[in-house]
Amino acid sequence: MIVTIDGPAGAGKSTVARLLAERLDFEILDTGAMYRAVTWAALEKNLDPTNASDVAALAESLDLLLNNNRVIVNGQDVTREIREPRVTDNVSAVADHPAVRRKMVETQQMIARSGDYVCEGRDQGTIAFPDAEVKIFLTASVARRSRRRWQELCDAGFPVALEEIEQQHTERDRRDELRPVGGLRRAADAIELDTDQMSIGQVVDALEKIVRQRQARSQDE
């Protein structure tokens, strides 16, 4: 079974997807981490993130592994490094390149063939897995998402002004919705869940209930 969780940046997709996968005994596919890994690698090689051909060639050459919530690039664990502000500032440009997105989607589809997965990102229910059995669109207000991201950065040792994060989220929402490839939109058959007034545990409870109900229906069919 494939469960997709899409939504805007900072909606809590990664945390919720990981916890839901643990509850369901599914594997987790953090697609945002994949684009961050390519971005990190490009910056390490001093490539211009806006240079489509150079970044696409790099994406094709990378040995990218997601394993037990760790991100490994060419044998190096970069789980922490891909969350650095410099990566966040450039990942949108990298993810915009059609050739990079095609490569990442192909990789995602290949990975998820092997079993039950919770796949989170921006285009999982619309592009990567349009036939997924369960599709979720997770959302929250800019204010709520910004505070979550601000707290994550502070906890990770990257202090930044909350106002700066709010501006970044507002601009990224606009860009993500206008992207010609892999743009942010809710799949017609996705269930939308606004998490503004919900704790992480409540969100995971709600999603687990949705998936269990779908599993029960499948057994009855």
Side-chain angles (χ1 to χ4, degrees), residues 11-26:
K13 300 186 300 295
S14 295
T15 300
V16 168
R18 175 175 52 81
L19 294 173
L20 179 62
E22 291 175 359
R23 293 248 192 116
L24 298 171
D25 196 24
F26 280 22

Side-chain angles (χ1 to χ4, degrees), residues 23-105:
R23 293 248 192 116
L24 298 171
D25 196 24
F26 280 22
E27 299 293 331
I28 177 69
L29 183 57
D30 180 353
T31 65
M34 298 173 70
Y35 291 104
R36 284 178 172 274
V38 176
T39 304
W40 174 84
L43 295 174
E44 286 293 293
K45 290 183 173 294
N46 295 316
L47 298 181
D48 178 357
T50 66
N51 187 310
S53 59
D54 285 353
V55 176
L58 174 66
E60 287 285 348
S61 69
L62 287 183
D63 181 9
L64 176 58
L65 176 65
L66 305 180
N67 184 33
N68 293 326
N69 297 317
R70 312 304 293 175
V71 182
I72 314 297
V73 175
N74 295 336
Q76 180 178 350
D77 187 334
V78 297
T79 306
R80 186 177 186 276
E81 287 80 354
I82 66 170
R83 302 297 172 182
E84 294 175 355
R86 67 176 184 136
V87 174
T88 300
D89 291 344
N90 289 284
V91 67
S92 291
V94 169
D96 269 351
H97 301 316
V100 173
R101 295 204 72 86
R102 282 196 298 271
K103 174 61 177 179
M104 293 299 101
V105 168

Side-chain angles (χ1 to χ4, degrees), residues 9-12 36 83 85 88 141-169:
R36 284 178 172 274
R83 302 297 172 182
T88 300
S141 66
V142 170
R144 181 68 167 170
R145 289 185 280 128
S146 298
R147 180 161 290 279
R148 287 172 181 163
R149 177 59 176 163
W150 172 79
Q151 190 63 61
E152 287 175 359
L153 288 172
C154 289
D155 291 345
F158 303 116
V160 64
L162 178 58
E163 293 77 10
E164 181 180 344
I165 298 296
E166 290 179 344
Q167 292 174 355
Q168 290 174 354
H169 273 305

